[in-house]
Amino acid sequence: MTTEKTISLEINGRFFQAREGMTILDVAKREGIPIPTLCYHEALESVGNCRLCMVEITHPDWKGWKGLVTSCLYPVEEGLQVTTDNKTIWNTRRTILDLLLARCPDSDVIQKLAAEYGVTVTSYRKNDVETKCILCGLCVRVCAAKGANAISSAGRGIEKMIARPFDQPPPDCIGCASCAHICPTGAIEYEDTPEVRKIWGHSFKMVKCESCGRPIMPEKQLEFEAEKSGLDPAYFKTCSVCSQRKSIDTIRSAFDMKAVGLGEPVEVAR
Amino acid sequence: MTETCIDPNKARKILERYPEGDASGLIHALQDIQAEFGYVAHEAVELLCEHLNVPISKAFSAATFYKAFSLEPKGEVIIRVCTGTACHIRGSRILVDELCAALGIEPGGTTKDLKFTLETVNCVGACAMAPVVSINGKYHGNVQPGSLTKLIQDGK
Ligand code: FES
Ligand code: FES
């Protein structure tokens, strides 16, 4: 086993300990120091697309050199001195948000963030194409992490967008809607009824919980999850609430703990 | 997208050259498909993805990222007018306008009979002989307005 090195660094004049390999953002999050992010998600690898998490770094050995880095990517180092908010950082974030507001003038999320930095109307030319997508790439990354790899970016430069391959319902889409849930601006639309989920041009039939009848996930996703995990498909046919209830009953009867309160089941997203 | 059919056996022949399941062949295979069919045909990409075990989304992403690939069938004769800085200063705009008028298409377009495709490119690295026009890969330098009709005829 490798022993993990402990690193000390300074954020906004306070000292913190961190494990080697953590990023500045990891430490800041742990310590409750606010840094705005749009393309970061703890479950996924960071790529540094949105540039909003910029912080300023310097080091006693750097002879006064300091610079802006993306905190979601920059790994902590011994003696690093980080500033998460000053005029330079503020201006940088303001410019980024000004640009994002030009791209997505109708996004409430961007409007709100931009307003925090004093931008209510973009100073750039507004995008003619109606979109809420800021190209952070979270949807593509979560889809890949899921193992479906159904969507990706298409084109480049100002024409870049998140697209369906050959503009058709993606053959690899399993209808999990992870892309829609992770999208920071709500740019990906989907529609749920108890019977079907409509997303990316597909209409997926929903599987219903065998005990309570509530819709769990699309059939195609269930097949995918069963195959990926090697578990019996039947395992997925009970919703999270009912399966917790079942396990609680099993534990109760096994230990004869009828009287012991194990709490009520909670709904878990899958 | 224009509906055209490609010969799947030709596509399979191309793919035989690439080891199965090796995603690193993606760009090369796409180039071969582009060269064989004149465009990156959807059916060919499906075969490619199966062969190299690449998600179709990734292949589509690569095919739309590089200018060298086209998702639409291209003309037999591909005319590329350089509109890089040097060529622009030496009047490439006039050449573009002239070609648009002569062929009845916009830059990026292909004539209905699939004879000509007109494209603009940014600096082909031959600024000394600006303005540059390439016809089916052959470079022509110091192109004068009015001389294009002949060049096109020669390129056929
Ligand atoms: S959160 Fe770091 S670049 Fe987007
Ligand atoms: S600008 Fe045309 S070749 Fe360089």
Side-chain angles (χ1 to χ4, degrees):
Chain A
M1 216 187 100
T2 47
T3 42
E4 269 169 352
K5 247 176 67 192
T6 310
I7 284 170
S8 356
L9 75 159
E10 207 181 306
I11 305 181
N12 299 341
R14 286 163 63 204
F15 288 92
F16 298 103
Q17 304 273 308
R19 268 178 294 110
E20 195 175 16
M22 282 175 96
T23 62
I24 297 173
L25 184 64
D26 289 334
V27 183
K29 281 217 179 280
R30 189 191 68 195
E31 302 300 334
I33 301 164
I35 296 178
T37 62
L38 277 169
C39 72
Y40 167 85
H41 193 282
E42 56 189 1
L44 300 170
E45 205 180 320
S46 292
V47 287
N49 271 349
C50 77
R51 319 307 287 176
L52 203 61
C53 68
M54 289 280 201
V55 295
E56 197 172 78
I57 55 164
T58 185
H59 194 281
D61 295 347
W62 291 354
K63 303 193 183 101
W65 187 88
K66 55 185 181 185
L68 291 175
V69 296
T70 45
S71 60
C72 68
L73 286 175
Y74 203 90
V76 291
E77 5 178 323
E78 190 60 44
L80 200 69
Q81 296 170 333
V82 183
T83 310
T84 64
D85 209 356
N86 64 24
K87 195 74 197 148
T88 318
I89 298 168
W90 198 85
N91 281 335
T92 306
R93 291 189 190 142
R94 184 190 154 101
T95 308
I96 294 166
L97 288 162
D98 196 354
L99 285 162
L100 285 176
L101 194 61
R103 179 179 167 83
C104 313
D106 301 323
S107 158
D108 45 343
V109 176
I110 300 299
Q111 280 169 5
K112 204 168 148 268
L113 256 170
E116 283 173 29
Y117 286 80
V119 187
T120 43
V121 183
T122 178
S123 53
Y124 300 96
R125 194 173 68 88
K126 275 192 197 171
N127 192 355
D128 324 307
V129 188
E130 207 180 294
T131 180
K132 281 188 184 173
C133 173
I134 56 164
L135 293 171
C136 71
L138 274 172
C139 52
V140 176
R141 279 180 282 150
V142 76
C143 191
K146 195 91 187 148
N149 282 304
I151 48 168
S152 63
S153 66
R156 67 200 287 183
I158 55 164
E159 275 151 23
K160 184 173 172 176
M161 55 180 176
I162 303 302
R164 315 184 299 169
F166 295 95
D167 203 20
Q168 287 175 11
D172 296 322
C173 179
I174 55 171
C176 69
S178 302
C179 52
H181 292 147
I182 206 166
C183 178
T185 59
I188 300 173
E189 283 168 13
Y190 76 104
E191 210 186 294
D192 265 1
T193 69
E195 315 304 326
V196 286
R197 168 172 297 163
K198 288 190 182 155
I199 189 163
W200 292 116
H202 280 293
S203 257
F204 293 106
K205 192 162 174 268
M206 296 297 273
V207 179
K208 298 201 174 158
C209 174
E210 282 178 342
S211 313
C212 70
R214 75 163 92 186
I216 310 177
M217 60 173 93
E219 260 172 12
K220 190 165 172 201
Q221 186 189 351
L222 191 145
E223 282 161 28
F224 180 88
E225 305 277 9
E227 174 155 357
K228 193 169 117 186
S229 60
L231 292 167
D232 183 351
Y235 169 80
F236 297 96
K237 291 186 181 151
T238 316
C239 76
S240 59
V241 173
C242 291
S243 57
Q244 281 178 61
R245 191 160 280 140
K246 256 196 216 157
S247 352
I248 291 172
D249 288 347
T250 319
I251 297 170
R252 280 204 177 118
S253 62
F255 295 99
D256 194 20
M257 302 196 310
K258 281 181 210 72
V260 182
L262 278 175
E264 270 306 293
V266 283
E267 200 176 339
V268 189
R270 283 213 268 233
Chain B
M1 214 184 325
T2 330
E3 268 322 315
T4 30
C5 284
I6 55 141
D7 178 355
N9 287 325
K10 275 191 185 162
R12 285 196 192 95
K13 261 242 120 50
I14 293 174
L15 294 170
E16 272 171 22
R17 303 205 282 267
Y18 295 90
E20 252 177 79
D22 180 2
S24 68
L26 174 64
I27 302 286
H28 280 287
L30 281 172
Q31 280 174 327
D32 288 354
I33 287 171
Q34 171 78 41
E36 173 70 43
F37 303 108
Y39 74 114
V40 176
H42 187 173
E43 305 93 308
V45 174
E46 275 175 4
L47 293 169
L48 172 148
C49 290
E50 218 180 283
H51 187 81
L52 301 181
N53 194 21
V54 172
I56 193 150
S57 61
K58 293 284 169 294
F60 183 71
S61 194
T64 53
F65 185 85
Y66 295 104
K67 268 232 168 153
F69 300 131
S70 160
L71 297 187
E72 308 278 341
K74 289 220 176 158
E76 277 163 55
V77 180
I78 300 176
I79 308 168
R80 296 200 172 96
V81 183
C82 178
T83 53
T85 313
C87 294
H88 174 76
I89 287 173
R90 303 205 54 178
S92 61
R93 187 72 246 169
I94 304 170
L95 302 179
V96 175
D97 288 347
E98 194 186 337
L99 284 164
C100 287
L103 300 170
I105 50 176
E106 288 293 303
T110 298
T111 52
K112 281 217 176 62
D113 57 4
L114 289 181
K115 275 242 157 62
F116 295 101
T117 294
L118 177 62
E119 286 173 355
T120 58
V121 285
N122 298 326
C123 191
V124 294
C127 309
M129 47 191 235
V132 180
V133 175
S134 98
I135 298 180
N136 275 353
K138 193 161 169 259
Y139 286 14
H140 302 269
N142 301 312
V143 179
Q144 302 293 317
S147 65
L148 281 166
T149 344
K150 194 179 169 300
L151 279 178
I152 293 165
Q153 237 99 57
D154 295 349
K156 267 191 196 173

